[in-house]
Amino acid sequence: MRRIEETLSLEILVTRLENVDTFYLLFAGSLVFLMQAGFAMLCAGSIRAKNVQNILLKNLLDACGGALGFYSIGYGLAYEGGDDSSGTTFIGTENYFFHYNLDDHIGWFFQFAFAATAATIVAGTVAERCKMEAYVCYSFFITAFVYPVVVHSVWDSHGFLSVFNSDPLSGVGMIDFAGSGVVHMTGGCTALVAAIVLGARIGRFADQDGNPLDEPMVFKPHSVSLQMLGTFLLWFGWYGFNPGSTLGITSIGYGDVAALCAVTTTLAAASGCVGALFISYVATQVTIGEEVLDVSMAMNGSLSGLVGITAGCSTVQPWAAVVIGLVSGLVYFAASKTLIYLKIDDAVDAIPVHFASGIWGCIAVGLFADPTLVSAAYDVNKGGLFYGEGNLLACQVCGILFIIGWVVALTTPFFVLLKTFGYFRVSALEELVGCDLSHHGGSAYDIKGPPGEVVETFEMDRKSRADNNGRSIQSIGSHRTHIRDDNHSNDSGDHTHGEES
């Protein structure tokens, strides 16, 4: 009887611990999903006011298309690779919509939030000129097939790049703790291909007749306030993105790993902001002779630092996170200027933030990974190049090349087909008047004045009141003048009488 009671007590304890882990993932996944609001605000603030409704709807549809695509096909491709004896597989083989057998609901929810993030990255790059139907198509395509295969290769225990594989590549595999490569490189590389195929916005690098401009036209963001709000929401959401990737909190050591992730995430974001702001300040001082503190550079620099630390947040020391963040800011600045030089139009600089900094983040793990921290997070005693080992760096490079090759191979023909059949880009007239007017019935902001007849009536009333006030003042002035004249006459009379006396 006592043994039965002990067994039941142990089962209850295990169940409660599992419930704690479930709540932890629910909380972390909710933070990651909140990043959708961050992307929406950042994108809306970064573009012109005539396209705000359009980009907001696209961000909403990212979440919708991501949920349906990842539920119906994507999750099964990403994580269901059969039992442990099946060895290395290219994709999963179970749990699709048409033979649904999913029992890890919280796991699906957390991973869905990541999939939606990968799709959202593309929205800002192609803003102001991409058709809505094209956006829905590629949002579903990314979350249902492109992204899940990358996930399976790096994160699933049957993936050929996975650290968790029974026979990992070079004895270690690719370390990408929360997705510098899996999420951000995938989304950023897709955005790069889309931007090249779609082409630049009218007036960015050439006029309406196609004649090249001497200097690229800068389309100012319509709301820096929304940009800043989006940046802080994304930074906040990253605390679910990185620490939450422990996938639990009750196992021994997981709390320490999550705490380290929070610290490295914070430091990298801060140093990334400083790095980008500093190099931008120096560059403007040298090139145009002005000392400009570019707020957009600072915001994107912090996001670049967050992307850069995402792969190694659990495996690098805090001091290394500062270095990684600083370099991320410099990488962002260089990549942003390179895009302009190549005349590739990225409306919100998502490609430099996510693709370029994502590449650097994966490489940084191969340089700065501390063997002690790698062992704590992965139970693998391997380190980066600065700790005397080169296998991890080689695996990171292999992972980078695979992600680029896979994404380019799939998305290039996809976007070319959309463009060929006229489903990718809005017409020139629709682009010039703005997607809000051409697709959504009007502007996001009600900036129209009152009707003309109301204004005319008000002006007449104001003029009438002004005339009445003027007459009143004139009357008061005349009355005072009359009083002064009377007083002057009396004074004169008294003076004369005095003299006569």
Side-chain angles (χ1 to χ4, degrees):
M1 187 67 181
R2 185 175 180 181
R3 287 185 177 180
I4 295 175
E5 291 177 353
E6 290 177 351
T7 302
L8 291 175
S9 298
L10 182 60
E11 290 177 353
I12 293 172
L13 177 61
V14 170
T15 300
R16 288 180 176 176
L17 290 176
E18 289 176 349
N19 290 341
V20 171
D21 285 337
T22 297
F23 180 78
Y24 178 74
L25 274 186
L26 178 61
F27 175 72
S30 299
L31 290 183
V32 177
F33 187 72
L34 182 64
M35 294 173 72
Q36 296 293 320
F39 280 116
M41 294 300 98
L42 180 61
C43 290
S46 299
I47 62 174
R48 290 169 289 183
K50 63 182 181 180
N51 296 297
V52 171
Q53 283 197 81
N54 188 257
I55 195 64
L56 290 177
L57 180 57
K58 286 174 179 175
N59 276 271
L60 177 60
L61 290 178
D62 268 324
C64 301
L68 297 175
F70 201 64
Y71 167 71
S72 59
I73 303 174
Y75 188 73
L77 294 178
Y79 284 106
E80 296 303 320
D83 56 34
D84 293 335
S85 62
S86 61
T88 300
T89 57
F90 182 67
I91 59 174
T93 57
E94 300 178 3
N95 286 359
Y96 304 123
F97 181 83
F98 42 84
H99 55 110
Y100 176 69
N101 189 33
L102 178 65
D103 57 1
D104 184 15
H105 295 101
I106 193 62
W108 179 89
F109 169 72
F110 186 71
Q111 298 302 335
F112 142 72
F114 277 64
T117 299
T120 304
I121 292 169
V122 188
T125 295
V126 298
E128 302 193 314
R129 61 204 190 276
C130 178
K131 281 189 173 182
M132 186 64 67
E133 52 265 43
Y135 194 81
V136 173
C137 288
Y138 74 68
S139 180
F140 185 88
F141 181 56
I142 292 170
T143 56
F145 189 62
V146 178
Y147 170 78
V149 172
V150 178
V151 171
H152 184 83
S153 299
V154 180
W155 285 345
D156 188 77
S157 60
H158 301 89
F160 78 100
L161 289 168
S162 178
V163 181
F164 306 106
N165 194 300
S166 57
D167 184 21
L169 183 67
S170 296
V172 59
M174 180 185 185
I175 291 180
D176 187 3
F177 188 75
S180 289
V182 174
V183 179
H184 297 282
M185 270 189 65
T186 299
C189 189
T190 303
L192 177 60
V193 175
I196 293 173
V197 176
L198 184 61
R201 289 167 289 177
I202 296 174
R204 179 72 167 110
F205 301 115
D207 60 24
Q208 296 185 28
D209 298 324
N211 301 313
L213 300 176
D214 295 332
E215 292 290 334
M217 177 65 69
V218 177
F219 297 136
K220 294 288 187 180
H222 94 278
S223 175
V224 178
S225 300
L226 287 179
Q227 284 182 297
M228 185 63 75
L229 175 61
T231 299
F232 274 118
L233 284 174
L234 288 170
W235 188 337
F236 181 71
W238 236 285
Y239 292 119
F241 210 93
N242 287 359
S245 290
T246 57
L247 304 182
I249 199 67
T250 60
S251 298
I252 296 175
Y254 277 29
D256 294 334
V257 174
L260 174 65
C261 290
V263 172
T264 54
T265 298
T266 303
L267 294 176
S271 57
C273 174
V274 172
L277 185 62
F278 174 76
I279 189 66
S280 172
Y281 177 82
V282 172
T284 54
Q285 193 175 38
V286 171
T287 55
I288 64 176
E290 295 183 10
E291 299 175 349
V292 178
L293 294 172
D294 193 325
V295 179
S296 293
M297 277 286 172
M299 292 185 290
N300 283 330
S302 66
L303 296 178
S304 297
L306 289 165
V307 172
I309 197 59
T310 297
C313 58
S314 66
T315 58
V316 302
Q317 296 288 349
W319 66 264
V322 175
V323 176
I324 292 171
L326 281 171
V327 176
S328 295
L330 304 182
V331 168
Y332 159 72
F333 178 84
S336 179
K337 298 305 180 184
T338 301
L339 285 184
I340 296 174
Y341 176 78
L342 297 174
K343 296 185 177 180
I344 298 174
D345 187 15
D346 184 346
V348 301
D349 259 359
I351 297 169
V353 169
H354 297 279
F355 184 54
S357 297
I359 292 175
W360 159 242
C362 293
I363 292 174
V365 175
L367 300 175
F368 294 99
D370 186 323
T372 304
L373 299 178
V374 173
S375 179
Y378 291 97
D379 199 23
V380 176
N381 191 22
K382 297 289 184 179
L385 188 65
F386 295 157
Y387 290 86
E389 299 184 45
N391 286 357
L392 178 57
L393 179 59
C395 290
Q396 299 299 107
V397 173
C398 288
I400 291 170
L401 295 177
F402 166 72
I403 293 172
I404 294 174
W406 173 253
V407 173
V408 170
L410 267 70
T411 58
T412 300
F414 181 79
F415 288 127
V416 169
L417 285 173
L418 285 176
K419 183 177 182 179
T420 301
F421 290 102
Y423 292 113
F424 201 10
R425 184 167 186 146
V426 300
S427 69
L429 181 59
E430 290 175 327
E431 183 178 343
L432 289 173
V433 301
C435 291
D436 282 2
L437 180 62
S438 60
H439 287 72
H440 307 288
S443 173
Y445 304 105
D446 185 11
I447 56 176
K448 295 182 298 183
E453 59 271 16
V454 175
V455 176
E456 184 178 351
T457 302
F458 173 76
E459 292 293 344
M460 293 175 61
D461 180 68
R462 182 167 61 179
K463 183 178 179 181
S464 176
R465 283 187 279 111
D467 291 342
N468 290 334
N469 290 337
R471 284 193 292 270
S472 298
I473 293 173
Q474 184 177 6
S475 175
I476 294 172
S478 300
H479 180 66
R480 288 178 177 175
T481 301
H482 179 69
I483 293 174
R484 284 198 301 269
D485 291 343
D486 290 345
N487 290 336
H488 180 70
S489 298
N490 293 333
D491 290 343
S492 299
D494 291 343
H495 181 67
T496 303
H497 180 72
E499 286 180 348
E500 289 177 352
S501 300

